[in-house]
Amino acid sequence: MNKGKTEKIKKSYSDRVFDIVNIIIMLALLVIFLWPLWFVVIASFSNPNEVWNGNVILLPKGFTLSAYEAVSQYKMIWTGYKNTIIYTVVGTFINLVMTICAAYPLSRKDFVPRNFLMFIFMLTMYFSGGLIPTYLVVSKMHLLNTPWAMMIPGAVSIYNVIITRTYFVNSIPSSLQEAAELDGANTFQFLMKIVLPLSKPIIAVIALYYAVGHWNDFFTALIYLNDKELMPLQSFLRDLLMSNKMSLNNMQGLDAAQAEAKMQLSQTLKYSAIIVSTVPVLCIYPFIQKYFVKGVMIGSVKG
């Protein structure tokens, strides 16, 4: 009896040590990952001179909205905002339609060529034509320098197709299909009225993946777009972060003090531009979080 109590005490002590070490490691990782994000926020509201001199560490100093005022006056930022919203909304819709249309037939056991098509789809995950052949295809389709170049070339992600197919297979019982067929529903009606309403978690997850991809995409615009009026927000943000165009284009005719002030503002401007471009995605996430948690559990142990 005493021996059992001793083992229980030792086990309890080791568990407490593990918990303490684990909490310390998690807190350290939290600080490592969270502090850069917090610094971006406080730097965007701080006096440019304080940021320039490295005095902003944990709290904003010299609270000011000058950087946000400068961003709001930069016309191309709002042009990029409009383009990015269009690309994200329309592009995500196209992605969802294409993904569901590919995943649903592959989940049906009565779809004869599904194994062959699945093999072809999987093959594209390991081998691709590369950038130049893709560019030639886009060019031959007359998509260059058009909004469709931001949405059509990446309309389907095979990884997301596999995830969606897996959800359909594991979460939509075949008995529902049989009952729907007895009630006179065809395949399209079964998909629209039964499968999709029951698949809100996976649709929300896939939509989030696609939407974030479109929102953060700037490389596609560098390849296929030449017109500044079609550029997404991330391309203009890249210009601000890489070359400070907004500040450098307005420094002609300024004295040394004014030029230095402009350079200091450009540093704070970087952080405010990051916040402006990130806020919409952060606002959307809480509304789909409950579906996101369910969707990422696909393939887990089920009771």
Side-chain angles (χ1 to χ4, degrees):
M1 188 69 178
N2 293 333
K3 183 178 180 181
K5 289 183 177 180
T6 303
E7 291 179 354
K8 185 176 181 180
I9 292 174
K10 290 182 178 179
K11 183 178 180 181
S12 177
Y13 175 77
S14 63
D15 288 343
R16 287 199 298 269
V17 172
F18 174 79
D19 291 340
I20 293 173
V21 174
N22 194 33
I23 291 173
I24 293 174
I25 294 175
M26 292 297 105
L27 289 175
L29 292 176
L30 178 65
V31 172
I32 292 173
F33 292 116
L34 188 60
W35 184 81
L37 301 177
W38 175 245
F39 176 79
V40 170
V41 175
I42 61 177
S44 67
F45 290 104
S46 298
N47 186 295
N49 186 49
E50 298 290 343
V51 178
W52 183 269
N53 294 326
N55 297 327
V56 178
I57 299 177
L58 295 177
L59 295 174
K61 292 188 177 182
F63 183 85
T64 178
L65 297 176
S66 59
Y68 289 95
E69 293 174 358
V71 170
S72 65
Q73 296 172 2
Y74 188 35
K75 178 184 176 182
M76 301 310 295
I77 286 289
W78 303 111
T79 301
Y81 240 121
K82 179 195 69 175
N83 294 335
T84 297
I85 292 174
I86 294 174
Y87 298 152
T88 301
V89 174
V90 179
T92 301
F93 176 77
I94 295 174
N95 294 144
L96 289 177
V97 171
M98 298 294 289
T99 300
I100 293 173
C101 289
Y104 178 67
L106 294 176
S107 68
R108 294 281 296 263
K109 294 182 180 179
D110 55 347
F111 184 59
V112 177
R114 66 181 187 132
N115 292 330
F116 172 75
L117 292 178
M118 195 65 194
F119 171 77
I120 299 298
F121 287 173
M122 291 287 292
L123 196 64
T124 63
M125 298 181 66
Y126 297 96
F127 304 98
S128 65
L131 180 59
I132 295 178
T134 303
Y135 180 87
L136 294 176
V137 170
V138 173
S139 177
K140 292 296 182 180
M141 294 177 65
H142 305 288
L143 297 178
L144 291 180
N145 209 32
T146 66
W148 299 110
M150 297 292 296
M151 297 175 282
I152 298 300
V156 179
S157 168
I158 302 303
Y159 177 78
N160 291 336
V161 169
I162 294 174
I163 293 178
T164 308
R165 169 191 171 276
T166 303
Y167 185 90
F168 288 158
V169 171
N170 294 333
S171 301
I172 309 298
S174 58
S175 57
L176 282 178
Q177 178 184 346
E178 297 172 359
E181 290 176 352
L182 290 176
D183 289 337
N186 56 34
T187 301
F188 181 76
Q189 291 174 330
F190 176 68
L191 172 64
M192 298 300 297
K193 296 183 178 181
I194 298 178
V195 175
L196 295 186
L198 294 176
S199 303
K200 290 180 180 178
I202 188 59
I203 293 176
V205 173
I206 298 303
L208 179 65
Y209 287 163
Y210 280 128
V212 172
H214 283 294
W215 189 269
N216 292 330
D217 186 17
F218 72 92
F219 186 70
T220 303
L222 294 178
I223 300 174
Y224 301 127
L225 300 182
N226 296 321
D227 189 354
K228 286 292 184 180
E229 295 297 325
L230 297 177
M231 290 291 183
L233 175 65
Q234 299 301 329
S235 295
F236 298 114
L237 177 60
R238 175 182 176 274
D239 289 341
L240 292 176
L241 297 178
M242 298 290 292
S243 57
N244 290 332
K245 285 185 177 180
M246 182 176 175
S247 178
L248 296 178
N249 291 339
N250 296 322
M251 288 180 59
Q252 297 180 356
L254 300 179
D255 57 29
Q258 292 175 328
E260 183 180 1
K262 281 287 185 181
M263 291 300 297
Q264 292 177 353
L265 178 61
S266 69
Q267 296 298 315
T268 311
L269 187 65
K270 296 178 182 180
Y271 304 119
S272 62
I274 293 173
I275 297 299
V276 168
S277 65
T278 306
V279 166
V281 177
L282 296 180
C283 292
I284 294 174
Y285 180 78
F287 295 100
I288 63 174
Q289 183 179 8
K290 60 179 180 179
Y291 298 116
F292 186 80
V293 173
K294 295 179 182 178
V296 296
M297 295 300 291
I298 296 173
S300 63
V301 178
K302 296 178 173 59

